[in-house]
Amino acid sequence: MAPITNGRTLFNEIPSGFPEPGKTTVYDTSKTIDLENVPLNGGVLVKTLVLSADPYMRVQMREADIESYMPPFIVGQPLGVGKILRSERDGFKPGGYVYGLLDHAEYSLPSPDVPVFGIRVFNPEPGLQYSAYVGAGGMPGQTSYYGWKEYANAKAGETVFVSGGAGPVGSLVIQLAKQDGLKVIASAGSDEKVQFCKDVGADVVFNYKTTSTLDILRQEGPLNIYWDNVGGTTLDAAIENAANHARFLECGAISQYNSKDGVNMKNLDQIYARRITLYGFLISDLAPKWEEEFYKVIPKKLASGEFKFREDITTGLENSGQAIRDVQIGANTGKKVIVVAQE
Amino acid sequence: MAPITNGRTLFNEIPSGFPEPGKTTVYDTSKTIDLENVPLNGGVLVKTLVLSADPYMRVQMREADIESYMPPFIVGQPLGVGKILRSERDGFKPGGYVYGLLDHAEYSLPSPDVPVFGIRVFNPEPGLQYSAYVGAGGMPGQTSYYGWKEYANAKAGETVFVSGGAGPVGSLVIQLAKQDGLKVIASAGSDEKVQFCKDVGADVVFNYKTTSTLDILRQEGPLNIYWDNVGGTTLDAAIENAANHARFLECGAISQYNSKDGVNMKNLDQIYARRITLYGFLISDLAPKWEEEFYKVIPKKLASGEFKFREDITTGLENSGQAIRDVQIGANTGKKVIVVAQE
């Protein structure tokens, strides 16, 4: 078979604000790949089926010499699901499925030692689409599950506030919290997202763009647990309404990723006064403890419908730049996935 | 014996900024007490020897309907050391010494159930002045010891930053950290305080009023542990220079007590990125676990000179309003104690 085009989305330029397709990212078809003969060097050749667009990507769009918890996003290595076409690696059989950091391309050759998330073989749960494995069944779902299990110390009857409740992390947190018998307050940025939070079981849901977060928390608090996906003034409002001994799970700060301005915090002194513990965490630290349990428990619940999730599908790798932007500006209506190819 | 004057310092008015003697607090000599005949109602009669002026007092100077971790400061109940004159209470013998919340007066009748800190009998360590029991041997020292033991998870070779390093809490933290083999960076607000931090063993000390905290932390970090006595932009600078998995002990926020303005924070998103845990704590929660060990270990080390401490003595209860103000504006040059009477 002759070499074929290997379409790629390349990272082109560091954005100063929100990423822009065609400028921050460009779609490129200049490279080809010979699927039968490309050397594997002990690794695998993977056909990309689904890629994921996630909020954390903005953190990677920076100068390479600025340190962070993720390596800089040089050419783009999103999380994705692929099918193994050829393999020289133990445990990776042709025809099997992998989840992990792939190239931002139609075909990739993930190195045996991909950093941070690595790559793992999984057996798809019958009835569960592959795309679920980059969402509720992948990194976002793992974030919810690992964080909740490790730090929430949830007790039935307590109150939790989940910001970004309609996202793939938040919506699973809502469901884990309801399973544990908590009262769940959730915020989201559109009426449609508010409805989704209600659909997955949140007790009190509000649109933070049209309703005062402070007013709601003053009415519905105090908070025993705050799952923070957004940072900024919402964190300040949560501190103001924290119960004594509250646990704050610091999972993300999307309100701050696209701005260099700081945020005015009025209530930081309440951290000690109310004996709040704030846990900053990343799933890479927690995976050794919780990963196997996650794969045993969560895909089954997603396949059966016991746990709900919602996807917002972009079709075609050439549209991934727009998908990345949509996640940053909050224009997606569910876990953003890019369907690159069918099997 | 006829009734005698029981001089008192009364809380007169809620301050809008720093407390002012004669306005926020007034010294009053209108009350008398009959030491031989005043009814004890099952309690004790205590002659005040030493009272303590502490930063937390500002938190109590508020409207009674504003909730906080300390009851409002109605007539003033500072921590103090006193001698028991008469007693109807088990375990409290006349001639013995007590430490705890006393009235802001020459004589008081502490109720058997004083809130928060309570009152305890102690046996003075030979060679250690009574005033030490409201400082390094009392609440401030307990704060250092309990917090360090419970949350620091210190490992030899790590780096800790202690803000407010010359205060009674900070200076004991410096010594506990050096004992554990850490590199200690400390900040203080005058050249004299800087010298004291050096005297107790800190490796790198700077005057935050004349030197950039950020510059020092960028040179001397990253920080594995931050002991936060001050809050505000210093906290933001510490977050910017935190190591991965840093522990932040949120002990106080004196930079914010006398202001209603918030603080501009630029680095809160690094809490999750660097997996920082911030522990807000109060000693009341930790006392059941650490109090007995504290009294076994610390007074001996203070008496022998192994652990150093420094006092700034105000003489006379009529001057306690100024002492309270001095602590809020940072004009004291050691643990502020008010010597009320000799035995």
Side-chain angles (χ1 to χ4, degrees), chain B residues 253-284:
Chain B
I254 195 167
S255 73
Q256 295 168 256
Y257 295 163
N258 293 284
S259 162
K260 290 187 174 176
D261 298 335
V263 55
N264 187 261
M265 299 289 285
K266 291 184 183 297
N267 300 302
L268 287 173
D269 58 335
Q270 294 301 312
I271 292 174
Y272 82 88
R274 302 189 188 184
R275 292 148 278 178
I276 303 167
T277 305
L278 289 87
Y279 297 101
F281 69 97
L282 294 175
I283 63 166
S284 46

Side-chain angles (χ1 to χ4, degrees), chain B residues 47-74:
Chain B
K47 178 182 178 184
T48 305
L49 301 177
V50 176
L51 291 176
S52 179
D54 292 297
Y56 76 85
M57 290 178 163
R58 181 63 183 81
V59 180
Q60 296 183 287
M61 297 175 185
R62 64 178 197 276
E63 302 289 351
D65 60 356
I66 299 177
E67 283 186 28
S68 179
Y69 67 98
M70 287 288 286
F73 197 40
I74 304 299

Side-chain angles (χ1 to χ4, degrees), chain A residues 69 245 250-253 257 260 262-266 268-269 271-273 275-282 285, chain B residues 69 245 250-253 257 260 262-266 268-269 271-273 275-282 285:
Chain A
Y69 67 98
H245 301 111
E250 293 301 312
C251 176
Y257 295 163
K260 290 186 174 177
V263 54
N264 188 261
M265 300 289 286
K266 291 184 183 297
L268 287 173
D269 58 334
I271 292 174
Y272 82 88
R275 292 148 278 179
I276 304 169
T277 305
L278 289 86
Y279 298 101
F281 69 97
L282 294 175
D285 292 325
Chain B
Y69 67 98
H245 301 111
E250 293 302 312
C251 177
Y257 295 163
K260 290 187 174 176
V263 55
N264 187 261
M265 299 289 285
K266 291 184 183 297
L268 287 173
D269 58 335
I271 292 174
Y272 82 88
R275 292 148 278 178
I276 303 167
T277 305
L278 289 87
Y279 297 101
F281 69 97
L282 294 175
D285 293 325

